[in-house]
Amino acid sequence: MYNSSSYLWKMLVFVFAMAAPVSIVTFFLYSGEDFVIEEYLLILAAAVLPALILYTRLVREMQAVAFRMERAAIMSPLEGDDKAGLRTGLLPLDNLLLTMQQYRRVLQHMLQEAQSRQDEASLLFDMLPDPVLVLGNRRSIRRSNAAANKFFNVTEMQGDLTRFLRHPALLKAVDAAYAGKDPDTRIEFTISDVVPRYVAAYIVNLRDESSEGLRLIVTLYDLTESRRMQQMRVDFVANASHELRTPLAILIGALETLIGPARNDLEAHQRFFSMMQAQSLRMSQLIDDLLSLSHIEINEHSRPSDRVDIGKVLQGVNSLLKAKSVEMGKSIAVQMPENDVFVTGDFDQLTQVFTNLIDNALKYSFEESEIRIEVTVTGREARITVIDTGEGIPEEHLSRLTERFYRVDSDRSRKLGGTGLGLAIVKHIVSRHRGHLEIESVVGEGSKFAVRIPIYTS
């Protein structure tokens, strides 16, 4: 525990300090008489010996103090000591240790309260519904709450802010807040992703030198849903008014004819009633598709997480469209791998995707042809391809097929009962599943619509 050479030198210094006064006084007292060296050494030894005993005793007690202070850090100062260790020495050891114990209890209580408050603050921080980032110096992320980790799809946010957000306007606002030019500001920007997200950021400068290096608080608000709702209202009014105008005009014209010139014409009644029924059904289907599309777009930024068996999805769609395919003189063939294929998705929405694609293939393929559905697995994706043999689609139309109400042949599409929203619905559902829709077509030969969806991983 102690260095031997250091211990020896300290002992000699102590003994010299204790014996020197006695030695000097004795020397001067005997200097005027006959000086007897033996008596002088005897007196000197009488002074040195108590000094050695005292020093040894003090060292032992200091060792005992160190040992018992170490034990007192984890238990009561007298707990586990034997009787010999409790004997009273030159130093007030027990009083010192009892005082230390009292201070230890006070410090433990203060530390427990501080830890409790820190845990409560961390819990409240993580319970905040909006993403919050706490920045230190030079844009370094010091803390992030659970909502921020979920927003950026990571377990923990560390490093520079630019690892997660690189929008120039945001970084400029953050630097301005650091400089104190604009300490409290709000900025809106767009995060590029499979589905673009609109975000508002509030930046607050803490302005506190005692904040342990914490400089800024950045709070993010996801405006995607509200922006989409606004855009959907605009699109709904524009598209619905355009698409409903034709059937409404036909209904109004038919009613005017029935009320007027064809009031007593029974044959005209039957013809016009059939026409009105067809247009009413078309408007009903159009409204259903618009509502379906609106619901999908609202939830498009929220990725589904269920385990879906693609084989069961296609089997259900095949059963649903079998009667229609037989009536049209066409067939549907499904080619599946040997093992079951599971993807991450929503069963009902994937059923809607392949119902729309296979229904389109039935409508636009040649008579007495076969619609083939091929399922393959490549890497971490499942690829489901709907193949038809038909007239095909000119290349200049391929990039616009998923736009709302876009039709290659408007008259033919309306005659076949299409609303112009089927492929738009497919596109948004596939986008919500973080998948991809690929379209290939050769005029006169047919078309291929391939959907790639991530494989389910537990």
Side-chain angles (χ1 to χ4, degrees):
M1 186 173 181
Y2 292 95
N3 184 282
S4 58
S5 60
S6 176
Y7 174 81
L8 179 62
W9 277 107
K10 289 179 181 178
M11 181 181 69
L12 291 176
V13 171
F14 180 82
V15 170
F16 177 79
M18 297 293 294
V22 176
S23 177
I24 294 172
V25 171
T26 303
F27 179 79
F28 280 107
L29 287 176
Y30 282 91
S31 62
E33 303 176 4
D34 294 335
F35 183 77
V36 181
I37 187 64
E38 290 80 4
E39 293 179 358
Y40 178 76
L41 292 176
L42 183 63
I43 294 172
L44 183 62
V48 170
L49 184 61
L52 286 173
I53 296 173
L54 178 62
Y55 181 78
T56 303
R57 179 66 178 177
L58 288 175
V59 168
R60 289 179 59 190
E61 291 199 12
M62 291 302 297
Q63 290 176 341
V65 168
F67 174 73
R68 297 183 68 184
M69 287 181 68
E70 182 178 355
R71 293 173 63 86
I74 56 174
M75 61 178 69
S76 175
L78 301 181
E79 182 181 346
D81 287 335
D82 55 15
K83 294 182 179 180
L86 297 176
R87 290 180 300 180
T88 304
L90 297 175
L91 299 176
L93 179 61
D94 291 336
N95 292 337
L96 175 64
L97 294 177
L98 288 173
T99 302
M100 176 185 170
Q101 176 71 2
Q102 293 175 354
Y103 278 111
R104 190 189 71 162
R105 290 173 179 172
V106 172
L107 289 175
Q108 281 183 336
H109 180 68
M110 294 174 63
L111 288 174
Q112 288 174 355
E113 285 191 348
Q115 185 64 42
S116 177
R117 292 181 180 179
Q118 183 177 358
D119 292 342
E120 290 177 358
S122 297
L123 179 61
L124 292 174
F125 184 66
D126 281 333
M127 290 178 64
L128 292 173
D130 297 305
V132 180
L133 305 177
V134 182
L135 304 184
N137 296 321
R138 299 181 179 179
R139 303 178 186 165
S140 62
I141 299 175
R142 296 289 299 274
R143 288 198 62 184
S144 61
N145 65 348
N149 298 337
K150 183 178 179 181
F151 185 83
F152 292 100
N153 195 27
V154 295
T155 55
E156 186 178 2
M157 298 184 66
Q158 293 181 341
D160 195 271
L161 178 64
T162 53
R163 288 183 56 193
F164 306 94
L165 293 170
R166 297 183 179 181
H167 196 278
L170 174 66
L171 298 180
K172 183 178 179 181
V174 168
D175 292 339
Y178 273 122
K181 298 178 181 178
D182 197 359
D184 304 314
T185 186
R186 179 182 188 275
I187 184 171
E188 294 186 8
F189 58 96
T190 304
I191 298 178
S192 299
D193 202 346
V194 177
V195 180
R197 289 188 289 183
Y198 303 94
V199 180
Y202 289 84
I203 305 170
V204 178
N205 192 324
L206 295 177
R207 305 191 194 88
D208 188 357
E209 296 180 358
S210 63
S211 57
E212 299 181 357
L214 306 182
R215 296 288 304 279
L216 301 180
I217 295 179
V218 180
T219 306
L220 305 177
Y221 296 91
D222 195 345
L223 305 177
T224 304
E225 186 173 344
S226 61
R227 290 289 181 86
R228 288 186 179 279
M229 289 294 294
Q230 294 175 2
Q231 189 61 42
M232 283 169 57
R233 293 190 190 99
V234 174
D235 292 344
F236 178 82
V237 172
N239 295 330
S241 61
H242 173 76
E243 288 297 320
L244 291 174
R245 184 179 293 112
T246 300
L248 281 175
I250 294 174
L251 285 173
I252 292 171
L255 287 171
E256 290 177 349
T257 303
L258 290 173
I259 293 173
R263 178 181 301 175
N264 300 318
D265 189 344
L266 296 180
E267 293 182 4
H269 286 188
Q270 185 65 33
R271 187 172 66 255
F272 280 107
F273 284 145
S274 298
M275 184 188 304
M276 293 168 64
Q277 183 184 30
Q279 295 303 320
S280 298
L281 291 174
R282 181 187 167 198
M283 284 193 294
S284 177
Q285 181 62 44
L286 177 62
I287 292 171
D288 289 342
D289 284 351
L290 282 170
L291 292 175
S292 177
L293 184 58
S294 299
H295 177 73
I296 293 166
E297 288 182 326
I298 289 173
N299 299 297
E300 189 172 355
H301 63 285
S302 174
R303 183 180 180 181
S305 58
D306 295 339
R307 182 172 181 261
V308 178
D309 187 343
I310 282 294
K312 291 184 178 179
V313 171
L314 296 177
Q315 183 180 0
V317 175
N318 192 6
S319 300
L320 181 65
L321 297 176
K322 186 174 182 179
K324 182 175 182 178
S325 65
V326 171
E327 181 182 349
M328 299 176 70
K330 302 175 184 181
S331 61
I332 302 173
V334 181
Q335 180 181 338
M336 292 287 300
E338 294 182 1
N339 299 325
D340 293 336
V341 179
F342 296 96
V343 299
T344 303
D346 181 289
F347 187 92
D348 293 334
Q349 288 193 346
L350 290 177
T351 299
Q352 189 174 9
V353 165
F354 296 110
T355 299
N356 286 352
L357 291 179
I358 297 173
D359 185 59
N360 281 349
L362 289 172
K363 290 177 181 177
Y364 298 105
S365 60
F366 293 135
E367 294 182 1
E368 300 181 357
S369 62
E370 181 184 70
I371 310 301
R372 290 186 294 116
I373 297 96
E374 297 179 354
V375 180
T376 57
V377 177
T378 56
R380 297 184 179 180
E381 288 185 331
R383 182 186 180 93
I384 305 95
T385 309
V386 178
I387 306 171
D388 68 72
T389 51
E391 297 179 0
I393 305 167
E395 185 177 356
E396 63 269 18
H397 295 287
L398 294 180
S399 61
R400 301 191 60 190
L401 285 179
T402 55
E403 293 181 13
R404 299 184 189 194
F405 303 107
Y406 184 82
R407 298 180 177 91
V408 177
D409 187 340
S410 300
D411 293 336
R412 184 183 179 189
S413 177
R414 290 190 175 95
K415 288 178 182 178
L416 294 173
T419 62
L421 295 173
L423 289 179
I425 292 173
V426 169
K427 171 193 172 184
H428 287 284
I429 292 177
V430 173
S431 178
R432 183 187 177 220
H433 284 69
R434 303 303 184 261
H436 300 276
L437 175 64
E438 299 174 351
I439 305 174
E440 298 178 12
S441 187
V442 178
V443 176
E445 295 183 10
S447 304
K448 295 181 181 180
F449 290 79
V451 176
R452 291 164 34 209
I453 305 176
I455 292 291
Y456 179 84
T457 55
S458 57

